[in-house]
Amino acid sequence: MQNSGNKNINNSTETTGRIAIVNPEKCKPKKCNQQCANQCPVNKTGKVCVIATPTVKHAEISEVLCIGCNICVKKCPFEAIKIINLPQGIPNECVHRYGKNSFKLYRLPQPKIGHVVGLVGTNGIGKTTALSILTTRTQPNLGNYEEKTSWTDIIKFFKGSDLQNYFQKSLEEDFKVAMKPQYVDQLTKVISGTVREIITKKDQRKRGDEYIKRFGLDTSLDKEIKVLSGGELQRFSIVVALLQKVNIYMFDEPTSYLDVKQRLTISDAIREMVKADGQDNYVLVVEHDLSILDYMSDYICVLYGSPSAYGVVTLPHGVREGINSFLAGYLPSENMRFREEELSFQIKDNLEEIEKDSQLHTYKYPALKKTLGSFNLTIEPGEFTTSQIVMLLGENGTGKTTFVKILAGLDKELKDKVPELKVSYKPQTISPTFDGTVQDLLFNRIGSVWDTNIIFKQFIFNVCNVQHLFTRDVKQLSGGELQRVGLVVAFGKPADVYLIDEPSAYLDCEQRLLTAKGIKRFILHTKKTAFVVEHDFIMATYLADKVIVYEGTPGADCKANTPTGLVQGMNKFLSILGVTFRRDPSNFRPRINKLDSLMDKQQKLSGNYFCTE
């Protein structure tokens, strides 16, 4: 247990075995009959468990008086209430709560000096909150949100754990923290100037030139921050963090917008920070690409709970044990099951299954060439069938999106040379320009297709889970919510071919795996074709039936090869990167071999870069 210290700090609500959550955005007491309060059996006895009147902003629920009957949950017309029973032993370990009937975080990740500690969990489970507390920018209140808690009591709360020493050192020795934020696109609102100016200003370690070259920022040096692409902003923000001479390095989702090669480069640079400039440092990373998290971490802390309601942090596990426990949905060390189904992804080349189906149609496209300014793309001829997913693999700037647009018939010059097919396209970046709710958007773009198409209805409700967003304004959605709505719109349109550009963007690791399964099931059952651009290797290998490998010099001269089988294509792509993958025996997920390890050398010698056994 992490917190054997002062338990009296917590107010009376912290000792209960359940929590009540009221979503202030959904709760509208002025627009309902206050069924939660009127139907509450405790209220009917004369006590006040639920407060809800037309004059309050939102309902309030007493967790001490609540009996967990869930009547208020069922009666609320806006689905604004959650009553959650906590796992045994958890109630006394609350580290922070934002307010009454709001999110609670139990325990904290335990940083280990000289090691990379990775955090894995769904969105809304408390990862960013935990990092904010560990930077000491957010002072934990130990559940007592009404009064400020002293650091003396906080340190006493963590007595006997690594966190006691961590907080003591961070406060007494004035530890400095470098934090790479989650949403890099927000940097343009708070930072101004050119890339060169800011890197020069932040270069405390005098390694700016090295990182600029290493991360491919040479051509971006004289650009203003406000005009940088998502990938440039991501690499820029990581460089700024790495160049600071501090004691604690934190990286919140460092691989968004980056291709596989860039992700590996970033991972190596982050790992180097555990011992930088002659001193041992703390390094913490939040990452949803599980293959990359596996590659860069020494320890894993799993976060589980109920999104937007509560989150629980486990003690550090070994990397393989931690990630496998997350995928299994079961923590043996705590005898805790937090997900009903195990996530297993057995990789196989299922071309033989597809070829056996005589009802499938084959489409062909010829050799093509496209020039955009100084960029030249050569496309080798190829073919694809229905019920098939073709994965486009390559570095950023090699022409994957250009190829997708050509197939979609969006290129006027080459429109007559590609098969004339109905195409639905989900772009890489989704801009919320629609005025109205999510439900308005769906009716506007795809009508009521979910009422007539059972497979699509399952995709909406079981995979993308957007029904809870129907009443939300589109312009207020988060990146992950926009991504899920974008997928629903793309697959809701009647088409022969679905062109999906980076479906994993902004999704957490669990959503990515569920989305991959949903896309696979949808394409197979509807006998359609999908072309997918994806940089998350686990998601890419699960989805792919065929692979188109891109090679050449990014932004200059590149080639899209003919589609090949999964294993052959992955071997070619990984040989270009100089990286080998093995497969975990328990859940078949791809794992990156450490460079020059025995396994890495053996696979390279045999030419088997992508091990399927």
Side-chain angles (χ1 to χ4, degrees):
M1 304 288 282
Q2 292 185 23
N3 54 344
S4 57
N6 186 2
K7 306 292 192 305
N8 297 323
I9 290 296
N10 296 343
N11 61 29
S12 59
T13 65
E14 303 309 319
T15 60
T16 64
R18 68 178 60 89
I19 59 174
I21 301 295
V22 177
N23 188 326
E25 294 181 0
K26 291 184 176 181
C27 184
K28 300 178 177 63
K30 295 180 181 179
K31 297 183 179 181
C32 70
N33 296 321
Q34 300 88 50
Q35 294 96 320
C36 55
N38 295 332
Q39 298 295 323
C40 175
V42 178
N43 280 15
K44 290 180 178 180
T45 66
K47 298 178 182 179
V48 183
C49 177
V50 182
I51 300 174
T53 66
T55 59
V56 299
K57 292 183 178 179
H58 56 79
E60 291 188 1
I61 300 174
S62 169
E63 292 170 348
V64 175
L65 295 176
C66 178
I67 59 175
C69 65
N70 278 301
I71 291 177
C72 57
V73 177
K74 298 173 183 176
K75 294 294 183 180
C76 177
F78 304 113
E79 299 181 343
I81 301 173
K82 291 181 182 179
I83 305 295
I84 300 169
N85 292 320
L86 296 171
Q88 188 176 2
I90 294 299
N92 291 327
E93 300 186 70
C94 180
V95 170
H96 191 69
R97 190 170 200 178
Y98 287 102
K100 187 177 179 65
N101 300 141
S102 62
F103 179 82
K104 295 173 75 172
L105 178 65
Y106 294 91
R107 308 179 190 156
L108 284 176
Q110 295 193 11
K112 291 185 175 292
I113 194 164
H115 297 282
V116 179
V117 177
L119 275 59
V120 60
T122 59
N123 284 336
I125 210 75
K127 299 184 297 297
T128 301
T129 298
L131 290 188
S132 182
I133 292 173
L134 291 173
T135 63
T136 68
R137 293 173 186 173
T138 296
Q139 188 166 331
N141 55 32
L142 308 184
N144 185 7
Y145 50 83
E146 296 177 343
E147 299 177 10
K148 187 174 182 179
T149 306
S150 70
W151 278 108
T152 301
D153 287 325
I154 293 167
I155 291 172
K156 187 183 295 185
F157 184 82
F158 292 109
K159 185 177 181 181
S161 73
D162 290 343
L163 286 165
Q164 179 188 12
N165 295 328
Y166 174 85
F167 282 122
Q168 282 179 334
K169 290 171 70 175
S170 62
L171 294 170
E172 294 171 3
E173 301 178 23
D174 192 24
F175 270 17
K176 295 180 180 178
V177 180
M179 175 77 172
K180 201 293 293 182
Q182 178 181 11
Y183 298 110
V184 293
D185 51 338
Q186 301 295 317
L187 291 176
T188 56
K189 298 179 181 179
V190 295
I191 298 178
S192 60
T194 66
V195 173
R196 188 192 307 272
E197 290 170 349
I198 298 172
I199 287 181
T200 301
K201 183 179 178 181
K202 295 287 186 179
D203 192 5
Q204 298 174 358
R205 299 179 58 222
K206 306 304 178 186
R207 298 183 65 178
D209 292 339
E210 175 193 336
Y211 283 129
I212 287 169
K213 184 176 181 180
R214 189 173 177 182
F215 292 170
L217 289 171
D218 316 61
T219 57
S220 309
L221 287 175
D222 295 319
K223 289 183 180 180
E224 291 283 337
I225 301 301
K226 61 183 179 182
V227 302
L228 295 181
S229 67
E232 289 172 325
L233 271 172
Q234 186 71 273
R235 285 174 283 147
F236 162 76
S237 64
I238 292 171
V239 167
V240 169
L242 293 174
L243 289 176
Q244 297 178 57
K245 196 169 185 178
V246 297
N247 311 93
I248 308 164
Y249 293 89
M250 297 187 181
F251 301 88
D252 200 343
E253 298 188 28
T255 67
S256 303
Y257 303 106
L258 303 183
D259 62 44
V260 176
K261 185 175 182 180
Q262 292 168 340
R263 293 182 184 203
L264 292 169
T265 301
I266 293 298
S267 300
D268 290 334
I270 290 175
R271 281 201 59 81
E272 293 168 5
M273 300 314 297
V274 296
K275 295 182 184 295
D277 304 319
Q279 70 175 33
D280 290 344
N281 300 306
Y282 294 99
V283 181
L284 291 102
V285 181
V286 172
E287 181 52 58
H288 294 305
D289 185 332
L290 295 182
S291 59
I292 292 296
L293 185 70
D294 185 333
Y295 179 70
M296 74 168 76
S297 302
D298 297 308
Y299 295 93
I300 294 291
C301 287
V302 178
L303 284 86
Y304 65 91
S306 178
S308 302
Y310 79 98
V312 182
V313 185
T314 69
L315 292 169
H317 295 83
V319 175
R320 181 177 181 271
E321 178 192 358
I323 293 179
N324 284 355
S325 293
F326 172 76
L327 291 174
Y330 175 71
L331 297 165
S333 59
E334 301 183 18
N335 193 24
M336 167 61 63
R337 176 160 293 283
F338 56 89
R339 191 191 312 111
E340 292 182 5
E341 294 183 2
E342 181 176 352
L343 299 175
S344 179
F345 293 84
Q346 186 168 4
I347 302 161
K348 62 178 181 177
D349 193 331
N350 45 8
L351 289 177
E352 293 181 2
E353 296 178 15
I354 293 173
E355 289 169 356
K356 290 177 183 177
D357 194 330
S358 59
Q359 297 181 356
L360 300 183
H361 299 286
T362 300
Y363 302 97
K364 297 181 180 181
Y365 58 88
L368 301 168
K369 285 191 176 183
K370 179 65 181 177
T371 299
L372 294 169
S374 59
F375 174 67
N376 297 306
L377 175 63
T378 300
I379 301 173
E380 292 191 344
E383 63 179 42
F384 56 90
T385 69
T386 50
S387 291
Q388 190 176 79
I389 298 176
V390 182
M391 187 63 56
L392 311 183
L393 291 179
E395 298 179 48
N396 285 336
T398 53
K400 298 186 299 298
T401 302
T402 300
F403 176 70
V404 164
K405 289 181 177 179
I406 291 172
L407 277 185
L410 301 177
D411 190 297
K412 294 181 180 179
E413 297 176 3
L414 302 175
K415 186 176 182 180
D416 297 333
K417 296 183 179 182
V418 295
E420 188 174 343
L421 299 165
K422 288 184 179 179
V423 174
S424 179
Y425 174 52
K426 187 206 80 70
Q428 180 181 27
T429 304
I430 302 173
S431 301
T433 56
F434 184 83
D435 289 317
T437 66
V438 170
Q439 191 168 32
D440 295 335
L441 173 69
L442 296 181
F443 273 112
N444 181 272
R445 300 290 171 84
I446 61 177
S448 56
V449 65
W450 58 79
D451 289 331
T452 56
N453 189 323
I454 296 176
I455 297 173
F456 184 67
K457 187 174 183 178
Q458 292 175 341
F459 187 79
I460 283 185
F461 290 91
N462 299 340
V463 179
C464 292
N465 196 27
V466 299
Q467 67 274 20
H468 300 299
L469 305 176
F470 280 177
T471 59
R472 295 272 303 279
D473 190 276
V474 174
K475 292 184 177 179
Q476 295 179 349
L477 299 181
S478 67
E481 290 167 341
L482 273 175
Q483 184 68 241
R484 284 149 50 200
V485 171
L487 287 168
V488 168
V489 171
F491 284 106
K493 293 179 181 178
D496 302 304
V497 177
Y498 295 90
L499 306 175
I500 310 298
D501 202 342
E502 295 196 36
S504 73
Y506 296 108
L507 300 183
D508 63 45
C509 38
E510 188 168 332
Q511 289 170 339
R512 291 181 185 195
L513 302 178
L514 292 174
T515 299
K517 280 191 169 184
I519 292 174
K520 190 94 169 176
R521 189 178 296 116
F522 181 87
I523 293 299
L524 287 173
H525 281 84
T526 58
K527 290 183 169 54
K528 305 296 184 181
T529 304
F531 282 78
V532 180
V533 177
E534 182 51 64
H535 297 304
D536 183 308
F537 212 85
I538 291 180
M539 192 166 178
T541 51
Y542 178 79
L543 282 172
D545 298 310
K546 277 190 173 182
V547 174
I548 296 178
V549 177
Y550 288 73
E551 54 185 321
T553 305
D557 192 23
C558 297
K559 180 177 72 171
N561 289 285
T562 298
T564 61
L566 171 62
V567 176
Q568 182 183 350
M570 288 296 180
N571 265 321
K572 183 177 180 64
F573 179 60
L574 292 176
S575 66
I576 294 172
L577 295 177
V579 176
T580 59
F581 274 73
R582 68 189 185 279
R583 192 173 66 171
D584 190 280
S586 60
N587 50 36
F588 308 104
R589 64 184 173 92
R591 302 187 67 192
I592 307 173
N593 292 318
K594 297 292 191 289
L595 186 64
D596 293 329
S597 65
L598 179 61
M599 185 76 75
D600 182 58
K601 291 178 179 178
Q602 287 177 346
Q603 287 185 219
K604 284 178 178 176
L605 191 63
S606 65
N608 186 18
Y609 286 77
F610 181 67
C611 183
T612 58
E613 298 178 356

